[in-house]
Amino acid sequence: MRLDQINIRDPFVLNDNGTFYLYGTRAENFGQKTGGFDVYTSADLLEWSNPSECFNSVKNGMNTQVNWAPEVHRYKDKYYMLATFTGNNGLRGTYILKSDSPSGPFEKHSDSCVTPPGWECLDGTLYVDKNAVPYLVFCHEHTQIIDGTVCYIKLSEDLSRADGEPHLLFSGSSPEWADEKEPQKHFITDGPFMYRTKNGALLMIWSTFIKGVYAQCAARSDNGEIDGKFIHLPPLFKDDGGHGMIFSDGKRLILTFHTPNTTGSEHPVFKLLKDNGDGIEITE
């Protein structure tokens, strides 16, 4: 299969010993009650296998509503999937799954969501700092607070639970290029992902809507760590694409995100990136 034949949202690529594993949200019904997640594999980033189920949310009692944004990280020689599900309380949150293999099957690891239980949250991503302390970076949804935010919370060393209180990083209205809106009009935040540049700068990519169009954005920590103030950089992509992440094929730095943001038509795309030390830019 080619990328334009793969109908998923929120693509995430793991390079594990030269094999590439592609995960994402099954696009059917905007990722609601889809029954789980699939993985596609490739050796060259061009041709991909047919989808193979790596997590069954029905068997695990997690198909209540949304099955969104799976991402897989290798951490202490195991593979951890972070994904958004609707809890029994009707609120969305990030849960953590675990497997011995990037192909799965993944099984429940956290007893419940690792985002604050009374919050409506989505799109948790793993960030491990220079001292090997793990954190969850996630979005507090605009559906609950109108002006959506990006936050972080410390995780336990085994990634099974939150270990502390959430901290605000920024809100959807905070960039100087953010749309001007009337009171009670929503600002969306989604898809955070952390990347450290060749000069040690800590970047976050994230997505929102600019003039009604889905966009891929970036920000930089002023102290090189998660507790810094994030300075908003010019958007990376403003032409109907977002919820991206960054990976390397060993030689090139690559940004992937889904486009167009239209149910039934979305698919992953790859864009080459240049690491400028203090920021990143799409080169092709």
Side-chain angles (χ1 to χ4, degrees):
M1 302 180 72
R2 294 275 177 157
L3 289 179
D4 61 5
Q5 299 172 305
I6 300 176
N7 183 209
I8 59 172
R9 303 176 65 85
D10 319 323
F12 189 96
V13 175
L14 173 69
N15 179 354
D16 192 64
N17 296 317
T19 298
F20 300 96
Y21 297 81
L22 170 64
Y23 310 87
T25 302
R26 292 172 178 169
E28 184 180 0
N29 298 321
F30 202 72
Q32 300 192 45
K33 294 187 176 181
T34 58
F37 302 117
D38 302 313
V39 60
Y40 304 76
T41 59
S42 175
D44 60 8
L45 297 176
L46 297 174
E47 294 291 339
W48 294 85
S49 68
N50 288 325
S52 174
E53 185 173 84
C54 59
F55 179 69
N56 187 305
S57 63
V58 176
K59 292 179 180 178
N60 284 274
M62 300 176 72
N63 197 41
T64 305
Q65 194 63 38
V66 306
N67 293 233
W68 285 352
E71 58 176 63
V72 174
H73 299 261
R74 186 172 181 172
Y75 176 80
K76 296 189 176 182
D77 294 325
K78 300 290 183 181
Y79 297 87
Y80 293 85
M81 176 181 283
L82 287 69
T84 302
F85 299 95
T86 305
N88 293 331
N89 62 357
L91 297 175
R92 292 186 283 269
T94 295
Y95 294 73
I96 300 182
L97 318 173
K98 182 179 179 181
S99 177
D100 292 329
S101 166
S103 299
F106 286 86
E107 298 180 351
K108 291 174 67 175
H109 180 61
S110 62
D111 290 336
S112 60
C113 65
V114 291
T115 44
W119 291 16
E120 183 98 300
C121 300
L122 80 169
D123 296 350
T125 189
L126 179 65
Y127 169 66
V128 180
D129 74 6
K130 294 177 180 179
N131 297 315
V133 177
Y135 293 88
L136 181 79
V137 181
F138 65 95
C139 295
H140 190 182
E141 281 212 72
H142 69 100
T143 51
Q144 189 177 52
I145 58 174
I146 298 179
D147 191 357
T149 61
V150 180
C151 303
Y152 74 93
I153 193 168
K154 183 182 175 185
L155 295 174
S156 60
E157 187 177 359
D158 67 355
L159 308 187
S160 66
R161 56 182 173 80
D163 185 21
E165 298 299 319
H167 300 271
L168 172 68
L169 290 175
F170 59 83
S171 62
S173 64
S174 63
E176 61 179 16
W177 45 254
D179 295 343
E180 293 186 7
K181 296 185 179 183
E182 298 175 359
Q184 303 304 304
K185 294 295 184 180
H186 291 220
F187 289 87
I188 292 173
T189 53
D190 73 35
F193 179 81
M194 311 305 295
Y195 170 73
R196 192 171 295 280
T197 71
K198 62 184 180 182
N199 288 354
L202 182 63
L203 304 184
M204 178 198 301
I205 62 171
W206 64 288
S207 292
T208 189
F209 286 80
I210 301 175
K211 300 187 184 306
V213 180
Y214 202 35
Q216 184 67 68
C217 310
R220 180 179 62 242
S221 171
D222 68 351
N223 71 357
E225 261 309 336
I226 193 64
D227 60 355
K229 178 181 178 181
F230 277 77
I231 301 165
H232 293 282
L233 306 175
L236 290 168
F237 186 84
K238 298 190 291 183
D239 191 18
D240 196 24
H243 195 122
M245 61 83 62
I246 297 168
F247 70 99
S248 173
D249 67 357
K251 297 180 179 179
R252 303 172 299 171
L253 191 65
I254 300 170
L255 169 70
T256 182
F257 55 85
H258 75 254
T259 188
N261 193 42
T262 303
T263 301
S265 301
E266 59 272 81
H267 59 273
V269 295
F270 292 164
K271 301 285 186 180
L272 295 184
L273 287 178
K274 181 180 179 181
D275 182 333
N276 296 320
D278 291 328
I280 51 175
E281 62 179 291
I282 295 174
T283 60
E284 63 178 83

